[in-house]
Amino acid sequence: MEFVIAVSIYLLLLAVWAFLSMMTLFMMMRYQGFSLLTWIASILYLLMSAGALLVTMNLVSRLEVDWTSLLYFFQASL
Amino acid sequence: MIFFGEKVILKVRKHPLVFFIDSFFCFVLLCAPLILLGIAFFFGIKIEIPRENIIGLAIVLAISLYYLYALLFLLFSFFMYFLDRWIVTEKHVVDVKQTSLFSRTVAKQEIGRIQDVTAEVKGFFQTIFDFGNVYIQTAGEQERFVFENVPDPNGIANTVMKVIDQQKQKPL
């Protein structure tokens, strides 16, 4: 059950982060247009975020976590 | 925002140093775990994430969120720096202020209504890196426009004064 709570909180905060990131990038593009600096900042940000997420996935895959309980929980909640 | 056909004389943002000062906290946030790891390594303390239990997973997910939100703060401080700007055209002065993600103010004033232009350079960093405030006193509803922390404030004040003079000399 603890795994379910930890992963659920993570996914919730990740969704908030993704929403705020997309809104910030969208507003920047909306007001500033497709200027070179906007492109560079957006691409750098997306690359660094993707890197952080890849490192997270790599570290999580090394943990010996019983993922089946998580799978069963989400299946049951569906 | 600007009337069609108006010639843009000047577009200014805050000095880049202001962005670096504002985002310094984000850089500290991003570097702090690495510095702590370095100190631990230096003193021979071995840090290991437990693999079998919930604590290991919680630590990895917390570090992941920490870095993602630190990056978001950095992007946000760039956003605030990038969208705050001032534009001087041959007929208007436009003050674009981004106060938060969904809050933006655009104030416009006719060049002819400007009464006084003042440049201010105050303090050590502003003097060394040549940036400061330009105050534009107008007769409009928003009485004073402030170009905050702009590079070369004296040059900007001179440019605005030149535009005002040119506007006054133009036949009606």
Side-chain angles (χ1 to χ4, degrees), chain B residues 12-172:
Chain B
V12 272
R13 285 198 178 90
K14 288 178 184 170
H15 195 280
L17 190 76
V18 178
F19 166 64
F20 286 110
I21 292 168
D22 286 348
S23 57
F24 180 73
F25 175 66
C26 301
F27 284 114
V28 171
L29 277 182
L30 287 169
C31 296
L34 297 174
I35 293 167
L36 285 176
L37 271 178
I39 292 168
F41 182 75
F42 182 76
F43 287 106
I45 303 164
K46 202 177 178 189
I47 296 171
E48 211 168 279
I49 297 169
R51 285 188 171 205
E52 290 89 20
N53 56 21
I54 178 72
I55 295 170
L57 182 70
I59 289 172
V60 170
L61 296 185
I63 291 172
S64 167
L65 283 174
Y66 173 86
Y67 267 100
L68 289 174
Y69 275 90
L71 278 174
L72 181 64
F73 287 141
L74 189 62
L75 178 75
F76 193 71
S77 57
F78 176 74
F79 171 82
M80 296 298 282
Y81 161 76
F82 197 56
L83 294 187
D84 257 4
R85 66 190 316 198
W86 297 273
I87 302 162
V88 179
T89 72
E90 56 188 347
K91 287 178 184 164
H92 293 93
V93 177
V94 184
D95 176 3
V96 183
K97 194 154 274 189
Q98 191 75 31
T99 40
S100 72
L101 188 56
F102 299 109
S103 173
R104 184 176 167 90
T105 316
V106 180
K108 194 161 63 174
Q109 194 57 258
E110 281 175 29
I111 283 281
R113 302 187 82 170
I114 293 175
Q115 293 172 332
D116 180 41
V117 183
T118 313
E120 180 192 65
V121 178
K122 204 164 72 179
F124 176 75
F125 283 108
Q126 289 195 353
T127 309
I128 295 291
F129 293 102
D130 190 24
F131 68 97
N133 297 342
V134 176
Y135 300 98
I136 296 178
Q137 190 77 35
T138 65
E141 204 173 292
Q142 190 183 344
E143 283 184 354
R144 201 157 84 152
F145 272 42
V146 185
F147 290 18
E148 286 169 53
N149 296 318
V150 286
D152 188 19
N154 292 307
I156 289 171
N158 287 338
T159 310
V160 174
M161 288 307 292
K162 263 184 208 165
V163 176
I164 295 168
D165 288 344
Q166 281 170 2
Q167 198 64 27
K168 278 179 185 169
Q169 282 165 9
K170 269 187 186 174
L172 292 170

